[in-house]
Amino acid sequence: MLVVEEGDTVEIVLKNADSVTHGLSIHAANTQTSKFLGNVQPGEERVFRFTADFPGVFMYHCAPGGHGIMAHTMGGQHGMIVVEPKKKYRLEAELKRPPDLKLYIVQSEWYASGRDFFDGKATYVVFNGYNFRYVNEPIPVRPGDYVRIYFLNAGPSLTSTFHVVGGVWEYIYYQGNPDNLMKGSQTVLAGPSDSWVIEWRVPPVEGDYTLVTHVFNTAIKGAVGILRAKKDAPRIGEVRAEGPKALASVPADAKRVLDPYGLGTPDHEHTVRVPLDPTLVQPVAVGSKALEPLPVRVQMVGNSFYPKILEIPVGTTVEFVNEDVFDLLDGERTGRHDAVVIDVKGPEPFVTPKLGHGERYRITFTKPGEYVYICSIHPYMKGVIRVYAPVDQEAGGPEPEHHH
Amino acid sequence: MLVVEEGDTVEIVLKNADSVTHGLSIHAANTQTSKFLGNVQPGEERVFRFTADFPGVFMYHCAPGGHGIMAHTMGGQHGMIVVEPKKKYRLEAELKRPPDLKLYIVQSEWYASGRDFFDGKATYVVFNGYNFRYVNEPIPVRPGDYVRIYFLNAGPSLTSTFHVVGGVWEYIYYQGNPDNLMKGSQTVLAGPSDSWVIEWRVPPVEGDYTLVTHVFNTAIKGAVGILRAKKDAPRIGEVRAEGPKALASVPADAKRVLDPYGLGTPDHEHTVRVPLDPTLVQPVAVGSKALEPLPVRVQMVGNSFYPKILEIPVGTTVEFVNEDVFDLLDGERTGRHDAVVIDVKGPEPFVTPKLGHGERYRITFTKPGEYVYICSIHPYMKGVIRVYAPVDQEAGGPEPEHHH
Amino acid sequence: MLVVEEGDTVEIVLKNADSVTHGLSIHAANTQTSKFLGNVQPGEERVFRFTADFPGVFMYHCAPGGHGIMAHTMGGQHGMIVVEPKKKYRLEAELKRPPDLKLYIVQSEWYASGRDFFDGKATYVVFNGYNFRYVNEPIPVRPGDYVRIYFLNAGPSLTSTFHVVGGVWEYIYYQGNPDNLMKGSQTVLAGPSDSWVIEWRVPPVEGDYTLVTHVFNTAIKGAVGILRAKKDAPRIGEVRAEGPKALASVPADAKRVLDPYGLGTPDHEHTVRVPLDPTLVQPVAVGSKALEPLPVRVQMVGNSFYPKILEIPVGTTVEFVNEDVFDLLDGERTGRHDAVVIDVKGPEPFVTPKLGHGERYRITFTKPGEYVYICSIHPYMKGVIRVYAPVDQEAGGPEPEHHH
Ligand SMILES: [Cu+2]
Ligand SMILES: [Cu+2]
Ligand SMILES: [Cu+2]
């Protein structure tokens, strides 16, 4: 999160410390950014200057270019930059004092897979990075406090109607521009990358005022928080829109791990098992024509494979199909994909051609075993195909496990 | 539906006549409500007073607390409260007379299951409670009539763009506040809990003016109505946003009954039958490892089970997994769930532990028969598991039915 | 696309050159349209006049009436009509000159089936008709150019937040009305049929400014374009919102063909194969009751069948169920449907009754072969059922194909 003042010259130093290409789009900058902050290679550093001419609440997010812009933002690479206006917001002008609390809130969504992202099925919807973050740690306020909220819906895809239970927003400003004033609102409506500044005075009664998106099928997934009003509450001055710190490792007791590009929690939600199709064993026909075998599809979608884990009987044909639409450009910036086995301990290698949108490639799996594969263009895309076969009963069933 | 005037002191008497906990959130009240109207026990009565300081069109809805707020609102417990402003709306000021028709419209969604609610898949989207209500009963107006519409999108989840076929809205006011004026609009955009006041004069031509949300995949599910303009139409003065009265019993010829928490129409849409998995019968393996049995999942989601009716072969393992995220608090206010057999005529009882978000519990069903179960925390959540087995052919097939 | 001036009398000549009923809804016309432009029969011609009283950016779309309005708009029958205001937009007044570029952009969605339309799962989301149209053909501008964008979200169902990478919109006008002015916005929020006029000056730096909807799960499906700023770029004056011309025939190398009402690409995405249900072969029971056969459902939804291609073993019962809700009126205007075999070479004819919302009809298929069927009310609705059977091994497998 960044806060600057209207008219400031802002210098951004962007260093790519990762192993894949990234970039940066800064919505507060009214100047060319693709040229200066796009397609930043691993290890590369760029410096960029702009003048913060427009006051308000803006989004920034990763922007390697092309297809990668959406795919990286979906992964959570986004934040808020506030340009404080020279002109005073109205309630500050009326009260002749700054807010008691500046509350910076970024709403965003977490997805379990690129397929879920395409379909708008968020697993979690959060304020400042965590599920129910401010339910677990309520924000202290005092009755009568003047609160200014800087609200940004970072999306990437869903709409929000931000509301407080037990209150009516006094003044609201679309995009945070002090000239875009409206009054007396139960909600502010924000699509992805929309923002509002909200001014409100905590009513004179102690208790819990609940912040929530009134899009209730997303609130129920985590976008709820509490302002806890008490007369002797500590004055904290501000709550910053900082998200979760990246974990060094996943806790052993994690109930669910979202890894949209990779496998995530091995909890079967993204595992598909194909039973032996009787129509593949016994010849069947439609009238005088043999029934064409129906391949099992693995989609490339939103920089991930779907299903992530596929279990098939030996002899099954798998059709890889690229559902990503933007197949121009290259590297992180393209939605082209392939599938390449990486596990040298697997039964045998396979590799598909690089597929553009809507292109397909079929592989028939004749050797049982586990195939672990990635996309060579986006190597964090990971999938597993397990090919199973009847156990040779005379040999006494499967052997004891030799490796994990 | 309630109409009060700006500055009024409003007294609300809330009586819980149901057998589960409820509550109330009133968006027009700029004061603490959770404390006074949350977690109201069965049989309990509460009195609450507030001053209607903010003019406009507001939502109210059930709010027992926590997870229950979203789950009860999804079930249809919501309505509209209008605070008439002291300041005149512009068209009234220009015409120097009140509207010929005050039209109060609440748009809302009906869901068949908590799973559909999570996924935003409404079965019906309606104006004032019914599918195509005002197509079946067109609203009479006269050419030239001055109409004021109080429009609330109660959601719980979808966005609306409210429009009239054959008209351009003359003046629109976000949230119904007379200071939030805009002009000449084909639509008003409203997320859940957003509202507008709209002023419009029926054009001088007789005919049908169709009210519709221009979000066409929701209009097609029922959010359409007709203003029928005739020179000699009766003057009805107002159309109130009253929803359907609760039915004493379901009509015998009902084509579809939505019961998001329970079973609804036994029309197979929410029935899943698992065929005997050949991989469970014949030992199969991935290389040297036996293929792990894939459990059949029953989700707890949006205070309902999914699938609602599950049919499995004897010997199948069912994994109950709680997808509800808000697992704090207790009773109606929590998204914690369990599954407990209630049908004493069933083959044998089962009970799961109380599960928090993402927690799982497995049961292997070894006795054929029908298991009817509920959640002991939310006893209106109902599910059925049918365990089937091959018929003993020598015994002559299944016996005649002994009980319904 | 049409451009007229505020106050103009506009005459529309609507000629239905198709073989099914159509109609027209013009959002710029504040007068009765259903009566004059609804339910236009094949070959019929209508003339309609209105005065363009309200300035702004408006949608028009097919409107045969009732259910047909949504179903035809989903198929892509929509466009933009601009009413240029008498009052100057603010930036034009400030700069005392007209824009260097008038950019008319219609965002819309393409669906592969009525089922996908119901579920909001667009296959493509586009600007002016094509995927990534202005990525493939960037729009030339010069640094410093004054650009006015007329933006319409034609939907039919999804929300947009229109944004430019590398810019902040200087002035924005909801619905294009010059009085609905707001300032300094990173995005404009538009539900279906919402529109904006946007004024912006290209920053003084050359490079690619990317137009995008910031609803990223739709941008990733095609709603991206490029303004390419070069000092010596040609001055093209305007980019009109014309969509794709209808193709005389589908290119042989098309990777995907969307035909929401009919079959589309025979690429298996909408093919469902039902394996022989063992529970139908071997008698099974739940306790003392035989397990009821679970029919295979074909939905009628959004004027299409789903699944489009269904493959079933001989002896399967198919339940046709009408999910379309609006079953009033008749012909194109109704959501009533039936299923009628049209292929005289098929094994035998079948026909269902005309089904209203939620109504069902079952057919058991006892003769193998391919059944091609349509809806007799909407004859462009097309489905296929393939009934397969074990091959008579003694007869030597399926015979050679006799007909395509
Ligand atoms: Cu990145
Ligand atoms: Cu309740
Ligand atoms: Cu049409």
Side-chain angles (χ1 to χ4, degrees):
Chain A
M1 196 191 112
L2 296 169
V3 180
V4 302
E5 299 195 358
E6 186 181 343
D8 279 0
T9 298
V10 182
E11 182 176 289
I12 301 281
V13 181
L14 177 68
K15 176 153 188 178
N16 183 354
D18 197 5
S19 58
V20 300
T21 305
H22 291 292
L24 187 60
S25 170
I26 305 167
H27 292 189
N30 187 41
T31 185
Q32 180 51 250
T33 51
S34 306
K35 189 169 163 176
F36 301 116
L37 295 175
N39 206 18
V40 180
Q41 301 303 312
E44 198 181 347
E45 186 172 306
R46 302 260 185 96
V47 179
F48 174 71
R49 269 180 214 87
F50 70 96
T51 312
D53 291 324
F54 291 88
V57 177
F58 298 94
M59 184 174 175
Y60 62 84
H61 59 87
C62 189
H67 176 85
I69 298 175
M70 288 73 85
H72 284 216
T73 304
M74 182 263 282
Q77 292 187 288
H78 52 67
M80 173 194 275
I81 175 167
V82 173
V83 180
E84 280 286 353
K86 288 177 177 165
K87 179 175 177 174
K88 280 198 164 47
Y89 289 108
R90 178 145 167 183
L91 193 55
E92 181 165 344
E94 288 178 0
L95 300 178
K96 298 188 174 63
R97 63 183 179 94
D100 296 302
L101 177 67
K102 290 183 177 184
L103 182 51
Y104 302 90
I105 300 275
V106 175
Q107 177 178 327
S108 67
E109 306 130 30
W110 294 112
Y111 292 89
S113 72
R115 178 75 262 169
D116 285 353
F117 168 58
F118 260 55
D119 294 343
K121 291 189 182 174
T123 306
Y124 301 119
V125 182
V126 300
F127 293 151
N128 291 349
Y130 299 85
N131 280 340
F132 300 117
R133 177 172 185 171
Y134 303 111
V135 173
N136 290 305
E137 315 156 30
I139 297 164
V141 291
R142 297 184 187 180
D145 269 4
Y146 162 27
V147 179
R148 184 185 298 147
I149 303 176
Y150 302 78
F151 179 76
L152 169 69
N153 179 8
S157 302
L158 304 178
T159 293
S160 176
T161 44
F162 189 64
H163 168 79
V164 64
V165 180
V168 180
W169 302 131
E170 200 161 344
Y171 296 128
I172 60 175
Y173 309 84
Y174 185 50
Q175 302 279 341
N177 188 304
D179 288 334
N180 298 342
L181 170 68
M182 288 194 285
K183 297 181 188 172
S185 188
Q186 66 201 304
T187 34
V188 291
L189 175 61
S193 182
D194 273 337
S195 64
W196 292 83
V197 160
I198 298 164
E199 295 193 300
W200 181 61
R201 279 172 287 183
V202 179
V205 184
E206 290 188 321
D208 282 359
Y209 295 85
T210 304
L211 301 169
V212 66
T213 173
H214 225 287
V215 178
F216 269 4
N217 73 334
T218 58
I220 208 167
K221 293 173 178 172
V224 180
I226 289 173
L227 293 179
R228 181 154 290 164
K230 284 191 183 173
K231 275 171 191 149
D232 59 354
R235 292 222 180 268
I236 57 173
E238 69 172 19
V239 172
R240 292 177 69 84
E242 310 293 3
K245 300 222 179 303
L247 293 169
S249 62
V250 175
D253 64 344
K255 288 174 195 159
R256 177 163 288 162
V257 176
L258 301 187
D259 176 8
Y261 314 116
L263 298 181
T265 306
D267 56 8
H268 303 294
E269 267 78 2
H270 294 99
T271 299
V272 168
R273 177 175 299 169
V274 178
L276 196 64
D277 184 349
T279 58
L280 294 179
V281 175
Q282 181 187 10
V284 293
V286 177
S288 57
K289 286 171 63 178
L291 193 63
E292 191 192 356
L294 210 56
V296 174
R297 268 181 304 131
V298 172
Q299 300 178 322
M300 291 127 159
V301 53
N303 281 15
S304 59
F305 295 104
Y306 196 86
K308 291 164 178 274
I309 300 177
L310 175 66
E311 298 178 339
I312 51 173
V314 69
T316 302
T317 296
V318 174
E319 181 177 80
F320 292 88
V321 54
N322 186 356
E323 297 288 343
D324 276 334
V325 184
F326 193 113
D327 57 9
L328 302 173
L329 302 176
D330 56 15
E332 275 307 301
R333 302 180 305 166
T334 191
R336 291 176 73 80
H337 302 292
D338 61 15
V340 180
V341 160
I342 53 158
D343 187 355
V344 294
K345 287 185 297 191
E348 58 180 353
F350 72 77
V351 54
T352 72
K354 286 179 176 48
L355 302 173
H357 170 64
E359 291 178 345
R360 295 148 194 283
Y361 187 79
R362 294 182 179 194
I363 298 174
T364 300
F365 286 83
T366 56
K367 278 202 182 176
E370 185 170 274
Y371 299 75
V372 179
Y373 62 96
I374 62 168
C375 168
S376 71
I377 303 170
H378 310 88
Y380 45 83
M381 288 174 64
K382 194 171 179 180
V384 172
I385 293 175
R386 294 195 188 111
V387 179
Y388 65 83
V391 171
D392 182 354
Q393 299 276 5
E394 293 180 9
E399 294 167 29
E401 235 176 278
H402 289 139
H403 59 277
H404 188 68
Chain B
M1 197 193 111
L2 296 169
V3 180
V4 302
E5 298 195 359
E6 186 181 344
D8 279 0
T9 298
V10 182
E11 183 176 288
I12 302 281
V13 181
L14 177 68
K15 176 153 189 177
N16 183 354
D18 196 5
S19 58
V20 301
T21 306
H22 291 292
L24 187 60
S25 171
I26 306 167
H27 292 189
N30 187 40
T31 185
Q32 181 49 248
T33 51
S34 307
K35 191 169 164 176
F36 301 116
L37 294 175
N39 207 18
V40 179
Q41 301 303 313
E44 198 180 347
E45 186 171 308
R46 303 260 185 94
V47 179
F48 173 71
R49 269 180 214 87
F50 70 95
T51 312
D53 290 325
F54 291 87
V57 178
F58 298 94
M59 182 175 176
Y60 62 84
H61 59 88
C62 189
H67 176 85
I69 299 174
M70 286 75 82
H72 284 218
T73 304
M74 182 263 284
Q77 291 186 290
H78 51 68
M80 175 195 273
I81 175 168
V82 173
V83 180
E84 280 285 355
K86 289 177 177 166
K87 179 176 177 173
K88 280 200 165 47
Y89 289 107
R90 180 146 165 183
L91 193 55
E92 181 165 345
E94 288 177 0
L95 300 177
K96 298 189 173 65
R97 62 182 180 95
D100 297 301
L101 176 67
K102 290 184 177 184
L103 181 51
Y104 303 90
I105 300 274
V106 175
Q107 178 177 325
S108 67
E109 306 131 30
W110 295 111
Y111 291 89
S113 72
R115 178 75 262 168
D116 284 353
F117 169 57
F118 260 55
D119 293 343
K121 291 187 183 175
T123 305
Y124 301 119
V125 182
V126 300
F127 293 151
N128 292 348
Y130 298 85
N131 281 340
F132 300 115
R133 177 171 185 173
Y134 303 111
V135 173
N136 290 305
E137 314 157 32
I139 298 165
V141 291
R142 297 186 186 179
D145 269 4
Y146 161 27
V147 179
R148 185 185 295 148
I149 302 176
Y150 302 77
F151 179 77
L152 169 69
N153 179 7
S157 301
L158 303 179
T159 292
S160 176
T161 44
F162 189 65
H163 168 79
V164 64
V165 180
V168 180
W169 302 131
E170 199 160 345
Y171 296 128
I172 60 175
Y173 309 84
Y174 186 50
Q175 302 280 341
N177 188 302
D179 288 335
N180 298 342
L181 170 67
M182 288 194 286
K183 296 181 187 170
S185 188
Q186 67 200 304
T187 36
V188 292
L189 175 62
S193 182
D194 273 337
S195 64
W196 292 83
V197 161
I198 297 164
E199 295 192 300
W200 180 62
R201 281 173 286 184
V202 179
V205 184
E206 291 188 321
D208 282 0
Y209 294 86
T210 304
L211 301 169
V212 67
T213 173
H214 226 286
V215 179
F216 269 4
N217 73 334
T218 59
I220 207 167
K221 293 174 177 172
V224 180
I226 289 173
L227 294 178
R228 181 155 291 167
K230 286 190 183 172
K231 274 171 191 150
D232 59 353
R235 290 221 181 271
I236 57 174
E238 68 173 18
V239 172
R240 293 177 67 83
E242 310 293 4
K245 301 224 180 300
L247 293 168
S249 62
V250 175
D253 64 346
K255 288 174 196 159
R256 176 164 287 162
V257 177
L258 301 187
D259 176 8
Y261 314 117
L263 298 181
T265 307
D267 57 8
H268 304 294
E269 266 79 1
H270 295 98
T271 299
V272 169
R273 177 175 299 169
V274 178
L276 197 64
D277 183 349
T279 58
L280 294 177
V281 175
Q282 180 187 10
V284 292
V286 176
S288 57
K289 288 171 65 177
L291 193 65
E292 192 190 355
L294 210 58
V296 174
R297 267 180 306 131
V298 172
Q299 300 179 324
M300 292 128 158
V301 53
N303 280 13
S304 60
F305 294 103
Y306 197 86
K308 291 164 178 276
I309 300 177
L310 176 66
E311 298 179 339
I312 50 174
V314 69
T316 302
T317 296
V318 173
E319 181 177 80
F320 292 88
V321 54
N322 186 355
E323 297 288 341
D324 276 335
V325 184
F326 193 111
D327 58 8
L328 303 172
L329 303 174
D330 56 15
E332 275 305 303
R333 302 181 305 166
T334 192
R336 291 176 73 80
H337 302 293
D338 61 15
V340 180
V341 160
I342 53 158
D343 187 355
V344 294
K345 288 184 296 190
E348 60 181 350
F350 72 79
V351 55
T352 72
K354 287 179 174 51
L355 301 173
H357 170 63
E359 291 179 345
R360 294 151 194 283
Y361 186 79
R362 294 183 178 195
I363 297 175
T364 300
F365 286 84
T366 56
K367 279 201 181 176
E370 186 169 274
Y371 299 76
V372 179
Y373 62 95
I374 61 167
C375 168
S376 72
I377 302 169
H378 310 89
Y380 46 81
M381 288 173 64
K382 195 171 178 180
V384 172
I385 293 175
R386 294 194 188 112
V387 179
Y388 66 83
V391 171
D392 182 353
Q393 299 276 7
E394 294 181 6
E399 296 167 30
E401 237 177 276
H402 288 141
H403 58 275
H404 189 69
Chain C
M1 197 192 111
L2 296 169
V3 180
V4 302
E5 298 196 359
E6 187 181 343
D8 279 1
T9 298
V10 182
E11 182 176 289
I12 302 281
V13 181
L14 177 68
K15 174 151 189 177
N16 183 354
D18 197 6
S19 59
V20 301
T21 305
H22 291 292
L24 186 60
S25 171
I26 306 167
H27 292 190
N30 187 40
T31 186
Q32 181 50 247
T33 52
S34 307
K35 190 169 163 176
F36 301 116
L37 295 175
N39 207 18
V40 180
Q41 301 303 313
E44 198 181 347
E45 184 171 308
R46 303 262 185 95
V47 179
F48 173 71
R49 269 181 213 85
F50 70 96
T51 313
D53 290 326
F54 291 88
V57 178
F58 297 95
M59 183 173 174
Y60 62 83
H61 58 89
C62 189
H67 176 84
I69 299 175
M70 287 74 83
H72 285 217
T73 303
M74 182 263 283
Q77 290 186 291
H78 51 68
M80 174 194 273
I81 174 167
V82 173
V83 180
E84 280 286 354
K86 289 177 177 166
K87 179 176 176 172
K88 280 200 166 44
Y89 290 108
R90 179 147 165 182
L91 193 55
E92 181 165 344
E94 287 178 359
L95 300 178
K96 298 189 173 63
R97 62 183 180 97
D100 297 301
L101 177 67
K102 291 184 176 185
L103 182 51
Y104 302 89
I105 299 275
V106 174
Q107 178 178 326
S108 67
E109 306 130 30
W110 295 111
Y111 291 89
S113 72
R115 178 75 263 168
D116 285 352
F117 169 58
F118 261 55
D119 293 343
K121 290 188 183 174
T123 306
Y124 301 119
V125 182
V126 300
F127 293 150
N128 291 350
Y130 299 85
N131 282 339
F132 301 116
R133 177 171 185 172
Y134 303 111
V135 173
N136 290 306
E137 314 156 30
I139 298 165
V141 291
R142 297 185 186 181
D145 269 4
Y146 161 28
V147 179
R148 185 186 295 148
I149 303 176
Y150 301 78
F151 180 76
L152 169 69
N153 178 7
S157 302
L158 303 179
T159 292
S160 175
T161 45
F162 189 64
H163 168 79
V164 64
V165 180
V168 180
W169 303 130
E170 199 160 344
Y171 296 128
I172 60 175
Y173 309 84
Y174 186 50
Q175 302 280 342
N177 188 303
D179 288 335
N180 298 342
L181 171 67
M182 288 195 285
K183 297 180 187 171
S185 188
Q186 66 200 304
T187 35
V188 292
L189 176 62
S193 180
D194 273 337
S195 64
W196 292 84
V197 161
I198 298 164
E199 295 192 301
W200 180 62
R201 280 172 287 183
V202 178
V205 183
E206 291 188 320
D208 282 359
Y209 294 86
T210 305
L211 300 169
V212 67
T213 173
H214 226 287
V215 178
F216 269 4
N217 74 334
T218 58
I220 208 168
K221 292 172 178 172
V224 179
I226 289 174
L227 294 179
R228 181 154 290 164
K230 285 191 185 173
K231 275 171 192 149
D232 58 354
R235 291 221 180 270
I236 57 174
E238 68 173 18
V239 172
R240 292 177 68 84
E242 311 293 5
K245 301 223 179 301
L247 292 169
S249 62
V250 174
D253 64 344
K255 288 174 195 160
R256 177 163 286 162
V257 177
L258 301 187
D259 175 10
Y261 314 116
L263 298 180
T265 306
D267 57 8
H268 303 294
E269 267 77 3
H270 294 98
T271 299
V272 169
R273 176 175 299 169
V274 178
L276 197 65
D277 184 348
T279 58
L280 294 178
V281 175
Q282 180 187 12
V284 293
V286 176
S288 57
K289 287 170 64 177
L291 193 64
E292 192 192 355
L294 210 57
V296 174
R297 268 181 306 133
V298 172
Q299 300 178 323
M300 291 128 158
V301 55
N303 280 15
S304 59
F305 295 103
Y306 196 87
K308 290 164 180 274
I309 300 178
L310 176 66
E311 299 179 338
I312 51 174
V314 68
T316 302
T317 296
V318 173
E319 181 177 80
F320 292 87
V321 54
N322 185 355
E323 297 289 340
D324 276 333
V325 184
F326 193 112
D327 57 10
L328 303 173
L329 303 175
D330 57 15
E332 274 307 301
R333 302 180 305 166
T334 191
R336 291 175 73 81
H337 301 292
D338 61 14
V340 180
V341 160
I342 52 157
D343 188 356
V344 295
K345 288 184 296 190
E348 59 181 352
F350 72 78
V351 56
T352 72
K354 287 181 175 45
L355 302 173
H357 171 63
E359 292 179 344
R360 294 149 195 285
Y361 186 78
R362 293 184 180 194
I363 297 175
T364 300
F365 287 84
T366 56
K367 279 203 181 173
E370 185 170 273
Y371 298 76
V372 179
Y373 61 98
I374 61 167
C375 167
S376 71
I377 303 170
H378 310 87
Y380 46 83
M381 289 174 62
K382 194 170 181 183
V384 173
I385 293 176
R386 295 196 186 111
V387 179
Y388 65 85
V391 171
D392 183 353
Q393 299 277 5
E394 293 179 7
E399 294 166 30
E401 236 176 276
H402 289 138
H403 58 276
H404 188 71

